Each structure stands twice: as C-alpha cells, then as structure tokens.
Amino acid sequence: QVQLVESGGGLVQAGGSLRLSCAASGSVESIRVMGWYRQAPGKERDLIAGITKDGRTNYADSVKGRFTISGDITKNTVDLQMNDLELEDTAVYYCAADRRVKMVGNPDYDYYGQGTQVTVSS
C-alpha cells in the first residue's frame, strides 16, 4: 500500500499562483508514475499532470504552459506549481500514484490522496 498526503491548497485570486505538494509513504519502491488529478463540482476527476520515475512529464491541454509538475519519485515527493490561475481551475486536487506508467488520456491510478481544495476567486 501507498499513502499520499497533499498540502498547499487554498484561496487565491485569479492570475495568482499556488504550489501543491505531495508526500508518499509506504510501499513507494513500486511506484513508477505520480500525477495530479482535479475534480470540479459536478464534473469527473481528470488527470492534469504526470511525472515518471525517469522525469518524463505530461500535461492536460487545459493547464499546459501554466502548471508545472516537478519532484523526485525516488524521494517520494512531487509538487505542482500553478501559475496564472483561472476561475475554472477551482477544484479539489488529488495526488495520485501508480505502479505502471500511465499518463495518456484519463487513466485510473492505483492510489489517491485525500485531496486539497483550490479555490480561485475573481
């Protein structure tokens, strides 16, 4: 089992920035990819960014150029830097991890954190 704990959510004005962090514990040696999902009210949970153990990254079109995923899976930490935030970025953000590399489309991951709320105000 892998446990994931997110931190760094909050309230920010449109155009501002936030940084989310995720710490993994447990059977982390099995992890090959970590990512960030988000779920807005009434919508599905979507994968928006992922990073593999060898540092490859991928982003959803909706956040490309504004969000940056970084970190080191071997050190069990992954961050999401969010710049130029928009009202549409308001959602619960979830850190996730998987034992297989999955970054295309909207796959299900093996493990998810509890989520952290990000609210963007006008």
Side-chain angles (χ1 to χ4, degrees):
Q1 282 289 336
V2 172
Q3 293 78 44
L4 302 169
V5 178
E6 305 97 338
S7 60
L11 175 65
V12 64
Q13 284 192 324
S17 299
L18 273 179
R19 188 176 185 91
L20 305 181
S21 295
C22 176
S25 61
S27 302
V28 294
E29 64 281 357
S30 65
I31 297 302
R32 295 293 178 267
V33 66
M34 292 183 71
W36 289 92
Y37 284 72
R38 70 182 181 187
Q39 186 170 22
K43 296 189 176 180
E44 292 187 352
R45 185 165 56 185
D46 293 326
L47 178 64
I48 58 168
I51 185 168
T52 65
K53 202 167 185 177
D54 59 359
R56 286 177 288 137
T57 60
N58 196 44
Y59 298 92
D61 289 342
S62 58
V63 305
K64 200 172 292 184
R66 300 187 299 121
F67 291 11
T68 303
I69 189 169
S70 64
D72 188 340
I73 292 179
T74 63
K75 296 182 179 178
N76 310 329
T77 61
V78 172
D79 295 338
L80 184 68
Q81 177 65 41
M82 305 185 293
N83 298 328
D84 193 21
L85 282 159
E86 303 169 352
L87 298 179
E88 293 74 21
D89 294 319
T90 295
V92 178
Y93 285 70
Y94 298 89
C95 179
D98 201 282
R99 293 164 292 179
R100 295 178 294 173
V101 175
K102 294 184 282 187
M103 291 202 295
V104 178
N106 199 32
D108 288 328
Y109 275 28
D110 292 330
Y111 309 105
Y112 292 88
Q114 297 278 43
T116 185
Q117 177 70 45
V118 171
T119 303
V120 183
S121 65
S122 58

